[in-house]
Amino acid sequence: MSEENLSAVTSEKESKQDKEALRARWAWVEHRVWTDSMLRSLERGIKGGKWYALIDKVYELKNLQSGFWRVWRNAGSAGIDGQSVKSFEAKEEQQLQQLAEELRTESYRPAAVKRVWIPKAGSQEKRPLGIPVVRDRVVQAALRNVIEPIFERDFAAQSYGFRPGRGSREALRRVEELLKEGNYWVVDADIKGYFDNIPHHKLMEKIGKKISDGRVLKLLESYLQAGVMETEKGWEATPEGTPQGGVISPLLANIYLDDLDWELARVGLQMVRYADDFVVLCRREEEAIKALERIRRWMEQEGVGKFVCGSQPEIKDGSDEVERANARSERREEAGARFGDNR
């Protein structure tokens, strides 16, 4: 084989390997939306740092189909129109084409979100849950397919809730690691009423730093302003907040708190956050006190008076947790050896 042909084969092989590696790094994205070329641009960073012309990808039929599959897998109850996932599925092609046309012509309008109250884990209180109608959940899922990678690329490492490849197990594992490293003083808090009190204008400002497609921004705002419908109270406006239960809501919640994540990371504070629940682990009590004050100051600067750490955030000595963390790690290692888990 000539040197020229060998070079061509080597280049082709490397190109294939690069493509496979790219796909592996972004295995969770919807590849019918995010092409290899788009993913490379995402990784390199685009000129100006903002993404334009995204709405056509939202209403692409294949993406709407992907959105429906996500909704179908999660099932869930009907919204205020009474339409079930099964009923939508019965006329799936027609429904998706109708949604695509409405989005293309800008005639799409989301319905109000059905609000129900469900028990709050570990409490006598109840928390609100929003149930959008099925067609709105489909569009939200398609919209999330398009915009989530843009924000996920830059999310801080200490955020674990509602993110691809991350969850409560990874969050607990990180807490255990930090305890073993001697970070015994723990700020333990949550943000009371977080999802219901996110300021719309500030949230849209944060989104607008990365997305410049006016129609996508308008679509997001339409969800925030759709209002809620409750059986006894009727329709209520939603001047702030993003209803828990919406497909897009967890992503929006993470976008809002990402600045706080980076604020603490920049000063070397070790936070582990899962949505509106978080801990900050420190080596000394005075560091924990300063961390709590920094968080409160950030909340005040954001102008979000209702964002208060619920039920008195606790600063505690977590040194007694280390022994339990070590025991949990040993049990995991034993289980891994027993079942041949070499990860």
Side-chain angles (χ1 to χ4, degrees):
M1 182 180 290
S2 69
E3 185 176 336
E4 185 178 335
N5 288 339
L6 180 60
S7 177
V9 170
T10 302
S11 178
E12 183 179 344
K13 183 178 180 181
E14 288 176 349
S15 178
K16 184 179 180 181
Q17 289 174 340
D18 288 345
K19 182 177 180 179
E20 289 173 351
L22 179 71
R23 290 292 184 106
R25 288 193 297 273
W26 296 94
W28 58 271
V29 306
E30 176 52 70
H31 289 286
R32 283 172 289 190
V33 173
W34 283 90
T35 63
D36 292 349
S37 174
M38 287 178 66
L39 288 174
R40 289 192 186 95
S41 296
L42 180 64
E43 287 192 341
R44 287 194 304 263
I46 59 170
K47 188 177 180 180
K50 292 187 178 184
W51 289 79
Y52 299 81
L54 296 173
I55 190 65
D56 60 315
K57 294 170 178 58
V58 176
Y59 62 69
E60 168 67 40
L61 272 175
K62 289 181 179 179
N63 186 32
L64 288 170
Q65 174 74 70
S66 170
F68 173 66
W69 286 343
R70 177 180 288 194
V71 172
W72 181 86
R73 286 193 299 269
N74 292 335
S77 305
I80 63 171
D81 63 354
Q83 184 182 43
S84 66
V85 174
K86 187 175 181 179
S87 173
F88 187 100
E89 185 182 17
K91 296 182 178 179
E92 178 185 341
E93 185 177 348
Q94 178 184 337
Q95 298 267 17
L96 295 179
Q97 287 178 346
Q98 178 65 29
L99 282 174
E101 180 62 15
E102 289 180 20
L103 288 164
R104 188 184 66 80
T105 60
E106 300 185 63
S107 59
Y108 169 79
R109 299 291 183 274
V113 174
K114 180 180 179 180
R115 175 182 280 170
V116 297
W117 293 84
I118 61 175
K120 192 174 182 179
S123 170
Q124 298 294 320
E125 299 178 12
K126 291 189 174 183
R127 67 177 181 87
L129 178 68
I131 307 175
V133 298
V134 174
R135 70 195 313 263
D136 290 345
R137 301 206 297 262
V138 170
V139 177
Q140 285 189 30
L143 177 59
R144 184 170 178 171
N145 283 346
V146 174
I147 71 171
E148 185 170 29
I150 296 171
F151 294 94
E152 182 62 34
R153 171 187 182 269
D154 298 320
F155 276 159
Q158 57 264 51
S159 168
Y160 290 86
F162 309 108
R163 292 184 61 189
R166 289 169 165 250
S168 56
R169 289 184 181 180
E170 289 77 15
L172 289 171
R173 190 175 298 122
R174 179 58 179 157
V175 170
E176 290 177 2
E177 289 173 357
L178 290 168
L179 285 169
K180 290 176 185 177
E181 291 171 6
N183 297 282
Y184 301 151
W185 287 96
V186 183
V187 179
D188 187 358
D190 59 47
I191 305 173
K192 190 175 180 64
Y194 174 59
F195 280 84
D196 291 330
N197 293 301
I198 296 174
H200 290 173
H201 67 289
K202 287 182 175 288
L203 173 61
M204 293 307 300
E205 284 177 4
K206 294 174 189 291
I207 294 170
K209 290 178 181 178
K210 292 182 181 293
I211 294 176
S212 283
D213 188 321
R215 292 176 65 181
V216 167
L217 296 175
K218 183 179 177 181
L219 181 59
L220 283 166
E221 276 194 294
S222 73
Y223 286 121
L224 296 174
Q225 298 171 1
V228 296
M229 185 77 75
E230 209 169 331
T231 303
E232 295 179 0
K233 296 182 180 179
W235 183 84
E236 289 184 13
T238 47
E240 56 190 13
T242 174
Q244 293 188 62
V247 179
I248 201 77
S249 294
L251 174 61
L252 300 182
N254 276 332
I255 289 171
Y256 195 90
L257 283 181
D258 188 54
D259 285 347
L260 175 62
D261 296 341
W262 283 109
E263 167 82 9
L264 298 188
R266 274 190 291 270
V267 296
L269 288 170
Q270 303 289 353
M271 179 171 75
V272 178
R273 181 175 67 80
Y274 192 99
D276 55 354
D277 225 338
F278 63 89
V279 292
V280 182
L281 297 97
C282 305
R283 290 184 178 273
R284 296 187 299 275
E285 183 178 12
E286 55 267 31
E287 289 179 359
I289 293 170
K290 288 180 180 179
L292 181 56
E293 286 307 310
R294 182 177 287 273
I295 293 167
R296 282 181 170 149
R297 193 160 56 246
W298 185 88
M299 298 289 185
E300 291 171 2
Q301 288 172 354
E302 284 291 296
V304 283
K306 293 183 181 179
F307 278 11
V308 294
C309 294
S311 62
Q312 288 304 312
E314 184 181 8
I315 296 178
K316 58 188 179 183
D317 183 349
S319 56
D320 59 338
E321 288 287 333
V322 177
E323 188 174 337
R324 288 195 285 272
N326 284 328
R328 285 193 292 269
S329 294
E330 288 173 7
R331 286 198 297 272
R332 274 202 301 268
E333 288 172 6
E334 289 172 4
R338 190 160 56 246
F339 294 105
D341 186 352
N342 295 317
R343 289 174 296 175

